[in-house]
Amino acid sequence: IIRTALPNMDREAREQYSVVIQAKDMAGQIGGLSGSTTINITLTDANDNPPKFPQKHYQLYVPESADVDTAVGKIKATDADIGVNADMKYSIIDGDGLGIFTISTDKDTREGVIILKKPLNYEKKKVFSIKIEGENTHIDPRFWNLGPFKDTTTLKIIVGDVDEPPVFSLPFYTMDVFENSKLGTVVGAVTAEDPDSAKNLIRYFIEHDEEAERYFNIDANSGVIKTMKILDREDAPWHNITVIASELDNPSQLTQVPVAIHVLDVNDNTPELAEDYDTILCENAKPGQIIQTVRALDKDDFANGPRFSFSLAQEFPPNPNFTLRDNEGND
């Protein structure tokens, strides 16, 4: 029977031992025969070492453009044990980054993977701090007195500033202008700003190759849109343009926004008869008999068109044989 000679043998200090055993006959007397063998002894592991973070403070740089639900960094605690005795899980237990970041455990590498859960904005918050805990998942009750089998560290997360394109004050714009307005009439204005701390100046322009570009221009500095042509509501009641805003110092950073321009009606069209009328009347028609209903049309909007007023033309002499009744409508 082989027994240990020393208490508290430590695998982490020495894992293997070799013992030479000799057997003799004749009770070990002189002249007896003997044989020997070597026995290799390997100490098995027990979870008697807690995890330890090599540092108490870490720093991590994450650009504000990092995508949500992606890994942005890793952290690892060491454990002198092996196998399942070195398995651990990571969790965030405190800090103002709680809820912005989460941490998962890579079981193969025993690393903590830090994951971004909400968008970052350098202009709103530049630094986060989280307290991370690494804890063994398999604890041997015989070694409770050597615990706790966990450790903590603090991770400072620095948000990196990324040059972002301009942001318009509205997702889309709707503007009104009366038809027949003189050239240079102000239709409205768009507004955009640089969301970065640099607050670069913004320049505006209308997207090229658009038909509406011939009707409107935009002040590059102020974003004010003006007419370049006389507008006709009856020809086009709506014009749709795309306005682009770019940074003065970095023209590649640009954003576009749709602008819908509604051309308002003015009463600039005279009523017209719906058709050319040619009336046939029988000679025995009775007095007061309706012989023709006349309809009129107007290209203007409803507010400036119907209802119509009908009367006999004053420039022609009155004819006593016929009368006209005004229905105060379209006919």
Side-chain angles (χ1 to χ4, degrees):
I1 297 175
I2 302 175
R3 294 186 173 89
T4 58
L6 298 173
N8 301 323
M9 300 185 71
D10 189 358
R11 185 202 64 82
E12 287 73 40
R14 183 174 179 180
E15 185 175 5
Q16 292 186 333
Y17 295 85
S18 295
V19 177
V20 179
I21 298 178
Q22 185 181 60
K24 293 182 179 180
D25 59 8
M26 296 180 60
Q29 297 180 9
I30 297 175
L33 300 176
S34 65
S36 63
T37 187
T38 299
I39 297 177
N40 294 317
I41 301 173
T42 301
L43 298 183
T44 58
D45 187 52
N47 190 4
D48 57 349
N49 291 281
K52 291 290 184 184
F53 285 102
Q55 300 173 214
K56 282 300 180 183
H57 299 278
Y58 291 88
Q59 282 192 0
L60 175 65
Y61 173 86
V62 180
E64 63 176 333
S65 59
D67 294 329
V68 173
D69 291 328
T70 59
V72 295
K74 294 181 179 180
I75 196 168
K76 186 175 184 178
T78 60
D79 193 318
D81 297 315
I82 59 174
V84 297
N85 295 318
D87 287 345
M88 66 184 76
K89 66 176 181 179
Y90 297 90
S91 58
I92 299 175
I93 60 174
D94 197 8
D96 58 3
L98 194 64
I100 307 297
F101 301 90
T102 61
I103 191 168
S104 63
T105 303
D106 187 325
K107 294 182 178 180
D108 295 327
T109 63
R110 297 191 176 100
E111 292 176 313
V113 181
I114 299 158
I115 300 171
L116 178 64
K117 297 304 293 182
K118 292 184 180 180
L120 299 174
N121 189 324
Y122 173 85
E123 286 68 39
K124 291 184 177 180
K125 191 168 179 61
K126 299 177 176 60
V127 178
F128 292 91
S129 178
I130 56 176
K131 189 174 184 180
I132 299 175
E133 180 181 82
E135 181 180 15
N136 281 144
T137 55
H138 300 87
I139 300 176
D140 192 331
R142 295 174 299 171
F143 302 102
W144 276 115
N145 61 310
L146 300 178
F149 286 85
K150 58 185 177 181
D151 193 23
T152 60
T153 189
T154 299
L155 176 62
K156 181 180 180 182
I157 301 173
I158 301 173
V159 180
D161 188 20
V162 176
D163 193 6
E164 300 174 272
V167 177
F168 282 97
S169 60
L170 295 174
F172 62 90
Y173 292 83
T174 301
M175 302 175 183
D176 297 328
V177 61
F178 282 102
E179 65 174 334
N180 299 332
S181 297
K182 64 180 182 179
L183 299 183
T185 297
V186 174
V187 179
V190 298
T191 305
E193 66 175 12
D194 181 9
D196 298 314
S197 57
K199 298 300 179 185
N200 289 319
L201 295 177
I202 305 298
R203 292 293 179 266
Y204 305 92
F205 56 94
I206 296 175
E207 188 174 40
H208 295 298
D209 301 327
E210 288 194 355
E211 182 180 351
E213 187 184 14
R214 298 184 290 115
Y215 293 91
F216 307 95
N217 64 11
I218 188 169
D219 187 280
N221 298 314
S222 65
V224 173
I225 299 172
K226 297 181 180 180
T227 59
M228 291 180 62
K229 286 188 175 184
I230 300 297
L231 303 176
D232 186 357
R233 188 202 69 87
E234 288 72 43
D235 180 50
W238 286 91
H239 293 275
N240 296 297
I241 63 175
T242 300
V243 173
I244 298 176
S246 66
E247 294 181 11
L248 179 62
D249 295 337
N250 188 1
S252 63
Q253 291 290 352
L254 49 85
T255 307
Q256 61 183 28
V257 68
V259 179
I261 300 175
H262 184 205
V263 181
L264 302 177
D265 188 49
V266 297
N267 193 5
D268 60 345
N269 290 278
T270 59
E272 298 176 355
L273 293 181
E275 58 183 277
D276 294 329
Y277 293 95
D278 190 5
T279 305
I280 299 175
L281 176 65
C282 295
E283 62 179 347
N284 59 349
K286 296 178 181 180
Q289 179 179 335
I290 297 176
I291 61 173
Q292 180 69 61
T293 300
V294 178
R295 296 181 58 84
L297 301 174
D298 194 319
K299 295 180 181 179
D300 291 320
D301 198 9
F302 183 83
N304 293 317
R307 298 159 41 184
F308 299 114
S309 175
F310 293 87
S311 62
L312 295 174
Q314 298 295 323
E315 58 268 27
F316 295 99
N319 190 327
N321 295 317
F322 301 98
T323 59
L324 176 68
R325 184 175 67 188
D326 184 6
N327 292 330
E328 297 183 351
N330 291 357
D331 52 24

